[in-house]
């Protein structure tokens, strides 16, 4: 049910009788049982976190199966995950805009002394950048703790992941 088998393989075992004509009821029964099995597997806790501790080749092989692919798509499409991505995007945009503004204002005040009054929001923006930095730092720490709770191998694997290193460097 989980692999790429179809109703013909399921009903005949692929051996004698593999050339028989399938009744629509057999096809319907196959698809109902396959979907029921997929639903039961999706409701099991720990399947997606267990992917983290697998070797890269195993993850690629497992993630191409229909059941795990559906599980990953459903997990990524959850409203909580989507909201985290949107909030992170907004915070990164604010972070970049405020940082550029502060860099510009600092450059102007260094070049032209006495122009601090022309940048009234400079202190507020420094506080916002600090708060956003603390937010990303706490998220990274909580992510490391969660990975450590899954397994030490998961923590080690996620720590040396290129995108995780890029994210940590940006903080």
């Amino acid at each position: 049910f989980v692999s790429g088998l179809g109703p013909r393989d399921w009903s005949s075992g692929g051996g004698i009788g593999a050339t028989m004509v399938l009744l629509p009821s057999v096809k319907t029964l196959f698809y109902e049982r396959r979907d029921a099995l997929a639903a039961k597997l999706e409701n099991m806790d720990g399947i997606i976190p267990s992917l983290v501790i697998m070797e890269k080749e195993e993850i690629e092989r497992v993630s191409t199966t229909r059941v795990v692919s559906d599980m990953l798509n459903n997990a990524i499409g959850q409203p909580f995950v989507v909201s985290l991505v949107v909030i992170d995007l907004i915070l990164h945009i604010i972070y970049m805009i405020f940082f550029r503004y502060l860099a510009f204002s600092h450059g102007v005040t260094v070049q032209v002394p006495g122009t601090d009054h022309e940048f009234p929001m400079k202190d507020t923006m420094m506080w916002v950048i600090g708060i956003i930095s603390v937010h990303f730092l706490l998220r990274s720490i909580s992510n490391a703790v969660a990975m450590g709770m899954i397994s030490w191998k998961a923590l080690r694997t996620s720590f040396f992941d290129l995108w995780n290193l890029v994210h940590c460097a940006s903080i």
Side-chain angles (χ1 to χ4, degrees), residues 1-2 32-42 67:
F1 287 119
V2 179
E32 286 174 358
R33 288 189 179 175
R34 185 189 66 187
D35 293 341
L37 177 64
K40 285 183 181 180
L41 287 173
E42 286 180 18
V67 173

Side-chain angles (χ1 to χ4, degrees), residues 20-147:
M20 68 180 200
V21 177
L22 293 176
L23 297 174
S25 61
V26 173
K27 289 181 181 179
T28 304
L29 180 63
F30 171 80
Y31 291 122
E32 286 174 358
R33 288 189 179 175
R34 185 189 66 187
D35 293 341
L37 177 64
K40 285 183 181 180
L41 287 173
E42 286 180 18
N43 290 331
M44 295 177 75
D45 292 335
I47 290 180
I48 292 177
S50 67
L51 294 176
V52 176
I53 61 174
M54 295 176 133
E55 297 296 328
K56 185 176 181 177
E57 296 82 23
E58 293 173 340
I59 293 172
E60 290 174 358
R61 187 172 50 90
V62 169
S63 63
T64 58
T65 63
R66 180 181 169 272
V67 173
V68 175
S69 177
D70 288 347
M71 290 172 71
L72 291 171
N73 287 338
N74 290 339
I76 291 171
Q78 294 291 326
F80 178 72
V81 176
V82 173
S83 65
L84 281 179
V85 170
V86 170
I87 289 171
D88 276 358
L89 175 67
I90 291 169
L91 288 176
H92 275 97
I93 290 171
I94 291 171
Y95 195 84
M96 288 187 305
I97 291 171
F98 282 19
F99 187 82
R100 286 183 56 94
Y101 178 83
L102 284 175
F104 175 75
S105 67
H106 181 70
V108 168
T109 56
V110 167
Q111 295 293 326
V112 183
T115 57
D116 282 340
H117 65 281
E118 294 185 29
F119 304 102
M121 299 292 291
K122 189 165 71 170
D123 292 335
T124 305
M125 288 187 176
M126 285 175 44
W127 276 100
V128 170
I129 286 176
I131 291 169
I132 292 174
S133 297
V134 168
H135 165 77
F136 286 131
L137 180 67
L138 291 176
R139 284 268 308 273
S140 296
I141 291 171
S142 65
N143 185 24
V145 169
M147 288 295 183

